[in-house]
Amino acid sequence: MLQVIDLFFDYGSTRILEGIGARIEGGRVLSVVGPNGAGKTTLLKCIVRILKLARGSILIEDRDATCISRRELAKYLGYVPQNMPAKIPMTVFEMVLTGRKPYLSWRPSEQDLWITANILHEMDIQDLAMRDVEQLSGGQAQKVLLARALAQEPRYLLLDEPTSNLDLRHQLEVLDMIATLVKNKGIGAMMAMHDLNLAARFSDTILMLKEGKVFSIGTPSEVITPKNIREVYGVEVAVRRDNGYPHIQALHCVIDHSDSD
Amino acid sequence: MNANSEILCDSYKKQNWIKKLFLYFVILLLIVAMAVGISIGASGLGPWDVLSSLIKDTGRNHSIVWMLRLPRVIMAAIVGFGLGLAGAVFQAILRNPLASPFTLGIGSGAGFGAVTVILFFGGGFQTYLIASGAFLFSLISAFLILVVAKMKRASSETMILTGIAQMFLFSSLTSLFQYMGTMEQIQEVVFWFFGSLSKAGWREIGLASAMVLIPFPMLLRHAWDFNLLSAGDESALALGVDVSRLRMSSVVAASLMTAGCICFTGVIGFVGLVSPHITRMVIGSDHRFLLPTSGLVGAVVVVAADILGRTLWAPHVIPIGIVTSFIGVPFFFYLLVKRSKEYW
């Protein structure tokens, strides 16, 4: 279990995150939702130590994460950034192989190559293996980034808006893939999500942030309510239930809401 | 599925094998270029005379080969290797195709150091004094980049901007000193900026190769970190690389390399910029192969440029810095236009 306890983060003198608490469990998906600027991405980056937290602690299997070296941490946490950075001069195979970095010294072993190849197969992107990363479409790139994180053989996956640049089909494909991985490998996943309906459908728990604080946490049905969304997003919505998942339909903005942006 | 995975692993290994093959090819090329470089010169010694003088003491020929030609060619190779390698390192850690020891102002720093010595400490033929000045100031300029980077979290943009700014600073200071100098001093400064291999002796070679070869293993050890860095700082951090420390230590190593090379030879521009590009176009940018190959390509370029500089207009010797740029730039344009994919 990965626990986030009373986490604070400041950017300069601006407080971005304030007293966040959350837990990611193996085999389960936690989605972080909230309007732009609520601190979703920042929270993920604090956990993988791209950003240094101001206060609070992160426990991984009851070990204090700050005592774990960066390299060791990369064996626990796989991070999937939102975008493929432009112009990476690598093939897909090389890119996914870099996920083995926490394990290898200088020369990748047969096992490293083997794990890389198997992941490409599992995700059905083996045909892309020798292609240059920069030639990939958005959906393919997202899968390659996910594949790289899986090559780390992590216990937890942290995904920053994994569906943000994808068309409808690829959104479902990628989320299905994540759901399957979580179920089959017992990985714990934390996703920053914009789309509340997808979040509701693919998550066990939803953490709703407002201005850097936890506004609500619980099952999708508990969190995705007209009242919460009005307060956090400043939008009036209707929530239906759809195959057991809450499904929202945006109606209109709430006029005269101080927090709308 | 297993059979397919094996196919994937094999094609990756095959690619690496091709990269290694290119590395060997460049080594071979370097040996050939060096052999040609030793075999030509003003005294008209042919390859056979050179070969026999290398082995046994043949009086005058022996000293020409051992005191003039061999040091010159070896120095050319070392300087080319150091600059090619340093360029590849700067481009990797700054993730920028324009980065090179010279665009970062380290070359201008060295130039300023040399000018200062020539003007205020007599200059003349005191090679070591000028070299020390150049060395000191190239390290000062590297240090400046580090200080600014340290204050602003070592982002690549900050470092590049600092480099460019100080390049202008040192250039204007150099111009100022030239303006103040006498005709003889100005002439010496101009010659220093042309770059020259003729002052290289065995002691200089020893010092320069120490500066190049000592940081080399450390840089090579970080080859994977450089690979990760090309996918961005955040990805590299998340995969366990201490990015700012890597950046700092690599700048120090690559600057030492650059300083060690150019302090004895003057400004040999362009090699540090093009060698990594040429190499990347052929073998891609796995730094395990890119770093050594880029160094070797740089060595070939400088040795070959020196050969041209000594033969094109013989018996005059065209300074090495002029030839490298003169030959290198058109060749580089050609590659830029011809390459199939854009890596930057």
Side-chain angles (χ1 to χ4, degrees):
Chain A
M1 187 166 55
L2 188 153
Q3 284 171 282
V4 176
I5 303 162
D6 201 24
L7 185 145
F8 284 72
F9 177 78
D10 304 319
Y11 195 81
S13 57
T14 319
R15 178 138 290 173
I16 307 290
L17 294 175
E18 199 172 333
I20 305 287
R23 55 172 62 179
I24 315 173
E25 285 164 79
R28 298 178 78 79
V29 176
L30 168 75
S31 283
V32 185
V33 301
N36 291 335
K40 304 185 289 292
T41 301
T42 310
L43 177 57
L44 294 191
K45 288 183 179 173
C46 283
I47 295 174
V48 290
R49 219 192 281 167
I50 290 172
L51 297 173
K52 197 167 174 280
L53 39 109
R55 216 168 80 202
S57 48
I58 293 164
L59 300 182
I60 299 174
E61 327 296 10
D62 294 324
R63 267 175 84 193
D64 185 354
T66 45
C67 301
I68 302 175
S69 76
R70 217 175 251 295
R71 186 188 169 110
E72 203 61 32
L73 195 67
K75 296 179 186 172
Y76 284 106
L77 310 178
Y79 173 66
V80 182
Q82 191 174 348
N83 296 313
M84 179 76 84
K87 308 243 165 163
I88 304 177
M90 283 187 213
T91 64
V92 168
F93 192 95
E94 285 173 328
M95 175 100 181
V96 175
L97 184 63
T98 61
R100 298 300 299 162
K101 176 65 185 30
Y103 300 91
L104 53 81
S105 46
W106 202 73
R107 191 193 158 91
S109 66
E110 287 293 325
Q111 196 202 353
D112 293 319
L113 299 182
W114 191 249
I115 288 171
T116 304
N118 278 336
I119 286 170
L120 292 174
H121 276 289
E122 263 173 54
M123 300 184 62
D124 202 26
I125 47 174
Q126 68 274 25
D127 295 339
L128 304 175
M130 293 303 145
R131 205 156 326 148
D132 282 328
V133 171
E134 60 179 30
Q135 297 169 352
L136 302 179
S137 72
Q140 292 168 335
Q142 196 63 47
K143 286 181 194 168
V144 171
L145 289 172
L146 183 57
R148 181 183 66 179
L150 290 175
Q152 292 172 250
E153 301 188 308
R155 295 200 201 168
Y156 304 96
L157 273 177
L158 294 108
L159 304 110
D160 191 2
E161 295 184 18
T163 56
S164 62
N165 300 313
L166 305 185
D167 62 35
L168 204 55
R169 186 193 159 87
H170 283 106
Q171 288 184 358
L172 288 178
E173 254 183 44
V174 166
L175 288 175
D176 273 334
M177 208 173 257
I178 293 166
T180 314
L181 286 166
V182 166
K183 209 186 296 157
N184 292 350
K185 299 197 175 185
I187 295 175
M190 183 181 201
M191 310 193 279
M193 290 288 282
H194 253 311
D195 189 318
L196 293 174
N197 289 326
L198 286 176
R201 184 167 151 190
F202 284 93
S203 317
D204 300 295
T205 312
I206 290 190
L207 173 70
M208 190 178 266
L209 292 179
K210 184 191 180 190
E211 291 163 8
K213 288 181 219 148
V214 177
F215 184 83
S216 169
I217 186 165
T219 63
S221 313
E222 288 165 4
V223 176
I224 306 292
T225 62
K227 180 173 167 291
N228 283 350
I229 292 170
R230 190 187 318 120
E231 300 240 350
V232 172
Y233 288 85
V235 173
E236 208 63 66
V237 298
V239 176
R240 285 184 288 118
R241 290 194 72 78
D242 226 15
N243 297 326
Y245 306 113
H247 187 96
I248 65 163
Q249 188 184 6
L251 300 175
H252 55 79
C253 297
V254 177
I255 316 290
D256 191 26
H257 191 290
S258 54
D259 294 322
S260 59
D261 61 86
Chain B
M1 177 171 132
N2 279 353
N4 285 333
S5 296
E6 210 156 328
I7 294 172
L8 278 189
C9 294
D10 282 345
S11 40
Y12 173 75
K13 280 187 230 165
K14 199 174 143 208
Q15 279 185 341
N16 279 352
W17 190 74
I18 293 170
K19 292 172 189 177
K20 230 178 274 175
L21 208 64
F22 182 69
L23 179 79
Y24 294 142
F25 169 71
V26 180
I27 292 177
L28 195 72
L29 211 60
L30 179 62
I31 293 171
V32 172
M34 287 175 78
V36 173
I38 301 170
S39 312
I40 56 163
S43 55
L45 295 187
W48 288 117
D49 305 317
V50 171
L51 201 62
S52 59
S53 334
L54 273 178
I55 301 163
K56 54 180 194 280
D57 195 338
T58 50
R60 179 177 157 272
N61 290 359
H62 184 80
S63 27
I64 287 176
V65 171
W66 278 96
M67 301 312 293
L68 294 173
R69 291 197 188 171
L70 208 52
R72 185 182 183 99
V73 170
I74 291 177
M75 192 65 174
I78 288 168
V79 170
F81 186 85
L83 293 177
L85 180 60
V89 170
F90 280 126
Q91 288 175 12
I93 55 172
L94 301 177
R95 223 177 308 119
N96 190 302
L98 299 174
S100 84
F102 292 89
T103 42
L104 282 174
I106 294 167
S108 326
F112 175 69
V115 171
T116 311
V117 172
I118 292 169
L119 248 77
F120 298 107
F121 298 95
F125 287 97
Q126 306 176 44
T127 317
Y128 275 91
L129 206 55
I130 298 176
S132 317
F135 187 77
L136 183 68
F137 273 91
S138 40
L139 287 192
I140 287 176
S141 60
F143 182 70
L144 259 167
I145 297 177
L146 286 179
V147 169
V148 176
K150 191 84 192 167
M151 291 192 300
K152 303 292 285 180
R153 284 193 51 150
S155 82
S156 61
E157 290 82 1
T158 315
M159 289 168 115
I160 290 168
L161 286 174
T162 312
I164 289 176
Q166 70 173 350
M167 185 173 84
F168 280 106
L169 174 71
F170 282 125
S171 303
S172 66
L173 285 173
T174 304
S175 306
L176 176 71
F177 280 11
Q178 275 179 297
Y179 181 70
M180 290 157 50
T182 64
M183 274 319 274
E184 292 81 48
Q185 288 170 333
I186 292 172
Q187 198 176 22
E188 201 176 336
V189 171
V190 168
F191 269 106
W192 197 87
F193 272 91
F194 285 160
S196 159
L197 290 165
S198 55
K199 276 171 267 173
W202 288 107
R203 209 167 354 145
E204 287 85 350
I205 288 175
L207 288 169
S209 47
M211 302 303 281
V212 170
L213 296 180
I214 291 172
F216 179 50
M218 171 255 161
L219 290 167
L220 203 56
R221 204 165 55 84
H222 284 298
W224 270 101
D225 297 341
F226 296 137
N227 288 349
L228 295 187
L229 213 52
S230 65
D233 283 14
E234 293 191 347
S235 288
L237 281 168
L239 282 166
V241 180
D242 189 339
V243 172
S244 24
R245 215 171 87 191
L246 175 70
R247 228 174 233 142
M248 295 290 183
S249 57
S250 308
V251 166
V252 171
S255 307
L256 277 176
M257 247 177 203
T258 311
C261 291
I262 60 180
C263 71
F264 292 117
T265 59
V267 179
I268 302 180
F270 209 60
V271 188
L273 183 68
V274 290
S275 306
H277 285 286
I278 294 172
T279 314
R280 212 178 282 113
M281 285 175 206
V282 182
I283 64 166
S285 62
D286 184 339
H287 287 81
R288 288 179 299 154
F289 302 103
L290 177 62
L291 293 182
T293 313
S294 173
L296 288 165
V297 166
V300 172
V301 169
V302 175
V303 172
D306 181 48
I307 294 172
L308 288 173
R310 284 188 286 152
T311 50
L312 280 182
W313 195 29
H316 299 278
V317 175
I318 310 172
I320 182 72
I322 297 177
V323 190
T324 32
S325 301
F326 204 71
I327 307 294
V329 175
F331 177 61
F332 189 55
F333 278 148
Y334 166 75
L335 285 177
L336 271 183
V337 174
K338 202 177 159 275
R339 68 181 171 166
S340 51
K341 47 195 171 188
E342 194 170 342
Y343 269 152
W344 290 92

